Amino acid sequence: MTAAFTRRSTGIRWSGLAAVLALVLGQLVVTGGGYPPAAQAASPPATITISTLTPDTATAGTLLRVAGRVANTGKQALRNVEVRLRLSDTRLGSRAELAAVVDGRTTSRDGAAVVTRNLPDLAVGQTTDFDVSRPVIELDALTTSGVYVVGVEVLASRSSGFGRVAIVRTLLPWVPEEPDFQPTGYSWLWPLVSRPTRMADGTFAEDTLAVEMGPGGRLTNLLAAGEQLQDRAALTWVVDPELISAAEDMADGYEVLGPDGSRLEGGGSGLAGLWLDRLRAATAGRRVLALPYADPDVTALNRAGMRADIPRATEAAEATLAEVLPLAAPVPAAAWPMDGYVNRGTLTVLRRVGATAVVLDGRAVPTEIDLSYTPSGRAHVASGAGRVEALLAEPGLADLLRDRGPNPVLGAQRFLAETAMITSELPSTGTERVILVVPPRRWDPDPAFLDRISRAVPEAPWMAPVPFAELVASEPPEVDRQPLHYPAAQRRRELPAATYLSAVRGMRTSISLLSAILTDRSELIPELDRSVLGLESTYWRGKAGRTNRLDREEADLTALRGSVTVQPGNFTFSSRQGTIPVTIANGLDQEVEVGLRLEPQTPRLRVENTQSVRIGPRSKLQVPVRATAVASGPVVVAARLHTPGGAAYGQPVPLRITITQYGTVALYITAGAAAVLFLTAGFRVLRRLLAARRRSAQGPGQPPDTDTQRAPGDEPSEVAR
């Protein structure tokens, strides 16, 4: 019994220990490590914000200066506060090491302190400014050209002792008086793309473009930075023709849809006109790559069986660019799918509509092996319609432009450092290697970040401008690459075919029917086509508001098509043959041509359908339709319009007809009865005429001739006498 009790006690102890371990392990999993939740959520002792970092590139005679602010974000006062400026002893060896330093995954590059300054004590929540500097010539670590690590460290006394409470690491490219490298070639795409705000009726769904084109607006900042870059860097403008067309409309005055559906006067006419004039001046004689009109989601369209809209958008883009930016030099036969990814089927469609070059993310055609350097942004890509020249955006730089981090100064400095590191990988290849830099399509950079980039890039001695056309004409490097890759994440981002694009396809069919009855297709139809391309825009990826926009455009199109219709009516048909006067109303501002067909729902009436008729603008036309009555009674006739080609247009309209005359069978019966009556009456008249003739033949005084002779013995009775 004792042994059994001991075994049970031991089992209880082990099971209890297992439960405790499970609880502890579970807590570790939940908190993401060995720290309790409270410790993880605790604020750091201090934070450092850098507002000034000069120079962008260290050269002889410059002054290294870092300024910013220190904040006590912990729960203890900071005493004996010091700020130190540190510099790594040697340059970084690779872009991977650079990323590890910035992410805080390695601390081996912190180097020695080159400047130390005392700061005042900081109570909890208190902040203070700092400004530390030192001439570059006094920094002995800067020997060979490359990228060095600069650290701003804050130390202070707390209850645990004196030590580091915060550190921020950034990067400093150093170029000696005699550089030991050849500058690498760089080519830029500079996108001016926004959201499609203009609807088919010419009104704007919102007035966001006025904000973006105003002082300090996104499009204004991008245009200013592009102007600054294009003279000293190889910059190719990328525009959405829908944007510049909308700006042209705005400059002439425009209306914005109000929250209650009313139309309000837009407030950005002057801003749009100035922005567009400035863009015309900037792009005069410059290369401009035009996206397909409204930037449709070409991959989603191809998958949804709507590939015909791809050449339609391309043609509209070419026409708009020539009209709005007539002095620009279009980049021919180049496409840039969303995010630089496209599947092979869509690439085949692009190739067939004339695109011989395509801008892709470098990860869309990854290298077979990991390289120790950044290759030139060129490759050949196979499609079902032939080879396509691939222009590969450098992925790391694209990611930095997309996500610059919380501090625009440090984000811009890292971008510059990355480009310097690319040159240091192969310092002697020069412009034989060309790096393509492609910001996001609807780039919205912090103004400080943008200002630093546009100012520093032209000054960077390791970057040489190479025009986009030269990159297209160059041969790809001898680098083995994998087949075209289209990530599943990109597939999930596409505009949904079943729930969205199918409705857009229905609008396209409806527009085709409306176009078929118009006598002047240069009116209405182009605006409707452009509105559909706007609904297909990549802007609507992941946007819940696309359904509201679609519903609004569908309602407007339905009302427009409903302007041409048959008017219902009640008619009385009182003869065997005659006409039914059917009225067709045209509420459009131009003449239309339609056919009219009547379909009786019962066999009491037969109709002869008419040929196509033309109805003038804002008018009505009464069309006589010949009909034959078969029997009396009520008849419902479905009246429907058709296009000149015979396609049904709109829903049938019921016409109610009452037939009051006899039908054909009843008419024959009545005629037969009348003939019998006529013959009977005629026979009686004939008998009377014959009897009168016989009386005349007997002469006067003779007894009247009777119809019958008396038989012998048949004498008159006494009563008769």
Side-chain angles (χ1 to χ4, degrees):
M1 177 180 294
T2 302
F5 177 80
T6 302
R7 286 195 297 271
R8 286 197 298 269
S9 301
T10 304
I12 292 173
R13 288 196 299 270
W14 278 110
S15 61
L17 180 60
V20 172
L21 288 174
L23 180 62
V24 172
L25 290 174
Q27 184 66 25
L28 289 177
V29 171
V30 171
T31 59
Y35 300 99
Q40 279 200 328
S43 300
T47 58
I48 304 171
T49 302
I50 295 178
S51 57
T52 302
L53 173 61
T54 58
D56 306 314
T57 301
T59 57
T62 58
L63 177 70
L64 175 60
R65 174 172 174 257
V66 183
R69 175 168 293 187
V70 178
N72 183 349
T73 54
K75 297 182 179 180
Q76 299 180 35
L78 301 179
R79 301 181 307 278
N80 305 318
V81 183
E82 291 182 0
V83 60
R84 295 179 180 178
L85 184 63
R86 308 182 74 97
L87 181 68
S88 61
D89 298 328
T90 57
R91 65 180 183 177
L92 294 173
S94 67
R95 295 179 69 185
E97 187 180 18
L98 184 154
V101 168
V102 174
D103 296 342
R105 291 181 280 114
T106 179
T107 60
S108 60
R109 292 291 190 165
D110 286 347
V114 294
V115 180
T116 300
R117 294 285 184 272
N118 294 325
L119 297 177
D121 293 348
L122 295 176
V124 175
Q126 192 174 5
T127 63
T128 187
D129 295 332
F130 70 89
D131 192 332
V132 291
S133 62
R134 187 166 181 180
V136 169
I137 197 172
E138 298 178 5
L139 302 176
D140 297 334
L142 301 179
T143 54
T144 56
S145 61
V147 176
Y148 292 76
V149 179
V150 173
V152 178
E153 180 186 36
V154 174
L155 300 95
S157 296
R158 296 185 297 161
S159 60
S160 57
F162 182 80
R164 177 188 292 174
V165 293
I167 186 170
V168 171
R169 299 176 181 89
T170 185
L171 306 160
L172 181 68
W174 156 252
V175 178
E177 291 183 345
E178 296 183 1
D180 55 354
F181 58 82
Q182 295 294 322
T184 303
Y186 278 83
S187 186
W188 286 73
L189 293 185
W190 201 257
L192 296 176
V193 184
S194 189
R195 66 188 73 185
T197 60
R198 191 175 41 163
M199 299 189 296
D201 62 359
T203 60
F204 286 68
E206 52 196 11
D207 211 8
T208 52
L209 288 183
V211 177
E212 292 187 341
M213 294 176 182
R218 184 183 71 89
L219 291 174
T220 296
N221 292 341
L222 287 174
L223 179 55
E227 290 171 329
Q228 188 173 352
L229 274 173
Q230 70 174 354
D231 291 331
R232 301 181 61 186
L235 182 146
T236 299
W237 298 95
V238 180
V239 300
D240 178 1
E242 197 278 335
L243 170 63
I244 59 176
S245 177
E248 189 176 49
D249 274 0
M250 291 172 64
D252 294 334
Y254 66 105
E255 292 181 327
V256 180
L257 196 66
D260 58 350
S262 61
R263 295 187 177 188
L264 308 174
E265 184 178 357
S269 295
L271 297 173
L274 291 173
W275 184 85
L276 189 57
D277 288 344
R278 189 173 173 182
L279 177 63
R280 287 181 174 129
T283 57
R286 305 280 186 167
R287 285 292 187 180
V288 176
L289 171 60
L291 297 175
Y293 193 94
D295 187 28
D297 193 340
V298 293
T299 308
L301 291 179
N302 181 53
R303 197 185 302 278
M306 302 171 65
R307 60 185 62 91
D309 278 4
I310 298 176
R312 184 181 284 114
T314 303
E315 293 167 4
E318 293 172 353
T320 303
L321 186 66
E323 177 184 352
V324 184
L325 300 180
L327 300 181
V331 174
W336 178 23
M338 183 63 178
D339 294 335
Y341 287 98
V342 67
N343 60 20
R344 193 172 187 271
T346 306
L347 183 62
T348 300
V349 174
L350 293 174
R351 181 66 181 85
R352 285 174 177 163
V353 300
T356 57
V358 60
V359 178
L360 298 175
D361 188 287
R363 289 162 290 205
V365 279
T367 58
E368 287 285 358
I369 60 174
D370 292 334
L371 302 177
S372 60
Y373 64 94
T374 304
S376 186
R378 279 289 280 113
H380 294 316
V381 180
S383 77
R387 192 178 75 179
V388 178
E389 304 301 327
L391 298 314
L392 305 180
E394 208 290 309
L397 299 180
D399 289 345
L400 289 176
L401 294 175
R402 181 180 296 106
D403 184 12
R404 60 190 175 274
N407 189 311
V409 175
L410 300 185
Q413 194 65 18
R414 178 176 178 180
F415 179 87
L416 292 172
E418 291 275 2
T419 60
M421 286 298 305
I422 290 173
T423 295
S424 67
E425 294 168 344
L426 297 175
S428 60
T429 57
T431 54
E432 295 178 6
R433 187 171 51 138
V434 181
I435 307 302
L436 179 61
V437 184
V438 182
R441 217 176 202 80
R442 295 174 180 85
W443 195 23
D444 188 11
D446 185 285
F449 177 91
L450 188 60
D451 178 70
R452 193 176 183 91
I453 289 293
S454 59
R455 175 174 46 83
V457 164
E459 302 289 342
W462 58 85
M463 302 177 73
V466 174
F468 184 76
E470 291 187 16
L471 176 61
V472 175
S474 66
E475 283 297 318
E478 295 181 353
V479 175
D480 291 331
R481 291 187 177 271
Q482 301 175 26
L484 185 66
H485 173 59
Y486 190 69
Q490 287 292 323
R491 172 69 180 89
R492 291 190 294 270
R493 294 190 188 106
E494 293 174 15
L495 292 176
T499 59
Y500 181 75
L501 289 181
S502 60
V504 178
R505 183 169 53 245
M507 283 189 64
R508 178 66 71 192
T509 302
S510 187
I511 293 171
S512 298
L513 288 173
L514 177 62
S515 175
I517 70 170
L518 298 180
T519 56
D520 183 6
R521 295 179 177 86
S522 64
E523 300 290 336
L524 289 180
I525 301 304
E527 289 78 10
L528 291 170
D529 282 340
R530 287 194 287 265
S531 74
V532 170
L533 294 175
L535 291 170
E536 297 168 349
S537 173
T538 59
Y539 170 78
W540 297 113
R541 283 187 170 191
K543 301 287 195 311
R546 68 187 177 212
T547 303
N548 295 333
R549 178 69 174 273
L550 173 61
D551 292 343
R552 186 177 298 161
E553 293 282 50
E554 280 183 321
D556 290 346
L557 178 57
T558 300
L560 199 61
R561 283 195 55 195
S563 300
V564 181
T565 185
V566 176
Q567 292 191 336
N570 298 323
F571 306 93
T572 300
F573 200 82
S574 58
S575 61
R576 180 174 177 270
Q577 291 185 337
T579 59
I580 302 173
V582 181
T583 301
I584 304 175
N586 174 21
L588 300 177
D589 292 327
Q590 66 163 287
E591 185 182 53
V592 298
E593 181 178 359
V594 294
L596 175 64
R597 293 182 187 176
L598 302 186
E599 298 178 359
Q601 305 302 296
T602 61
R604 291 190 179 98
L605 191 69
R606 293 197 297 265
V607 297
E608 299 177 11
N609 286 304
T610 63
Q611 299 296 319
S612 296
V613 295
R614 292 196 171 206
I615 305 103
R618 299 287 177 182
S619 62
K620 299 178 181 179
L621 178 67
Q622 195 172 79
V623 180
V625 180
R626 294 184 60 82
T628 302
V630 176
S632 62
V635 177
V636 176
V637 177
R640 191 169 200 172
L641 297 179
H642 285 72
T643 67
Y649 182 90
Q651 297 299 317
V653 176
L655 305 178
R656 304 187 183 280
I657 301 175
T658 302
I659 304 174
T660 60
Q661 57 87 49
Y662 289 114
T664 304
V665 176
L667 182 63
Y668 289 158
I669 295 174
T670 303
V676 171
L677 291 174
F678 178 78
L679 291 175
T680 303
F683 180 71
R684 288 180 178 176
V685 171
L686 180 61
R687 287 179 61 189
R688 291 176 181 174
L689 290 175
L690 292 176
R693 286 182 180 179
R694 285 197 294 270
R695 286 195 297 271
S696 298
Q698 291 176 355
Q702 293 185 357
D705 190 13
T706 59
D707 331 346
T708 60
Q709 294 183 353
R710 293 188 183 93
D714 188 11
E715 297 294 335
S717 65
E718 292 292 334
V719 175
R721 287 196 293 268

